[in-house]
Amino acid sequence: MSFNTIIEFIGYIGSFLVIVSMLMTSLIKLRVINTIGSVIFAIYALIIHSYPTAIMQFCLIIINVINLFKLFKNKKEYSVIKLNKNDNFINYFEAFYKNDINKFFPEDFNLSKAEEHYMVCCGSNPAGILSANYVSKDELNVILDYASPSYRDCSVGKHLYNYLAQNGIKKLHVKQNEDSGKSVHSRYLRKMGFSLINGEYIKNL
């Protein structure tokens, strides 16, 4: 492989990462991947002596670093609201995020199957919802555990699970089929500390 080919390959990698970053729903992931792509592309621009391009990439790097600092500095403050099963906002939330919810849950999914609903809010913004039924007085069978795209960094789940533990819930059960759509949610469950036991995911709080 020639030196010029290697240089071009570096440029393609940088461009690819910048493009991929635009597909991220998490602002932190977007900024991190965009910064990596900009660094690689800036190196490429310097090697080929395209200084205006390099200057632009360095400016993007600075902007990303500043915004990442703000994101980490301004820690999300969550609150949990227990909703009545007949609350109209549950239907509104389900309808608003229906297409996204269907990526992880069956298309015939209906929140009316659940008796308990916990809405997680970041300030005044709905960040996620957990809908479940009681297995026993301190165990829940989770039907939906969903975070909206802007808050999909596990922080919603961590706050919610702490809230449930503080309010007497000791164990969560999630029945999960390993199909193409749900496998993404299965990875989330494992990341959040659930263990697959006899066909269902279980987490002790």
Side-chain angles (χ1 to χ4, degrees), residues 36 41 66:
I36 295 172
F41 202 73
I66 291 173

Side-chain angles (χ1 to χ4, degrees), residues 47-65:
I47 293 174
I48 66 172
H49 305 293
S50 178
Y51 299 116
T53 302
I55 291 172
M56 181 184 70
Q57 296 304 317
F58 282 123
C59 290
L60 289 175
I61 292 168
I62 293 172
I63 292 171
N64 282 329
V65 170

Side-chain angles (χ1 to χ4, degrees), residues 59-186:
C59 290
L60 289 175
I61 292 168
I62 293 172
I63 292 171
N64 282 329
V65 170
I66 291 173
N67 280 285
L68 279 170
F69 176 77
K70 290 180 179 179
L71 286 170
F72 284 113
K73 183 179 179 181
N74 298 326
K75 187 177 180 181
K76 297 184 181 77
E77 295 292 336
Y78 292 116
S79 58
V80 178
I81 303 171
K82 189 174 182 180
L83 301 176
N84 185 288
K85 68 176 182 178
N86 298 318
D87 196 309
N88 288 330
F89 188 76
I90 297 173
N91 296 327
Y92 171 79
F93 186 88
E94 180 184 7
F96 188 86
Y97 289 108
K98 181 178 180 180
N99 291 334
D100 193 49
I101 290 174
N102 285 343
K103 295 177 183 177
F104 312 102
F105 298 90
E107 293 187 4
D108 61 350
F109 177 82
N110 192 323
L111 283 182
S112 63
K113 299 175 183 178
E115 295 291 326
E116 302 292 321
H117 301 276
Y118 301 88
M119 178 69 67
V120 183
C121 295
C122 183
S124 60
N125 300 317
I129 189 170
L130 184 142
S131 300
N133 291 317
Y134 275 101
V135 177
S136 64
K137 65 177 182 179
D138 57 3
E139 296 183 25
L140 289 176
N141 179 38
V142 178
I143 295 175
L144 176 67
D145 184 1
Y146 173 82
S148 58
S150 299
Y151 299 93
R152 202 162 289 163
D153 59 359
C154 297
S155 58
V156 170
K158 290 176 182 177
H159 182 86
L160 181 57
Y161 298 160
N162 286 334
Y163 170 87
L164 293 174
Q166 292 170 6
N167 285 270
I169 303 300
K170 297 181 179 179
K171 184 179 290 186
L172 298 177
H173 300 256
V174 181
K175 293 182 180 179
Q176 191 73 31
N177 296 322
E178 294 291 343
D179 58 33
S180 58
K182 290 187 175 183
S183 62
V184 177
H185 189 61
S186 296

Side-chain angles (χ1 to χ4, degrees), residues 1-12 44 47-48:
M1 184 179 292
S2 67
F3 179 73
N4 289 336
T5 302
I6 294 174
I7 297 304
E8 287 187 9
F9 185 67
I10 292 173
Y12 284 128
Y44 167 76
I47 293 174
I48 66 172

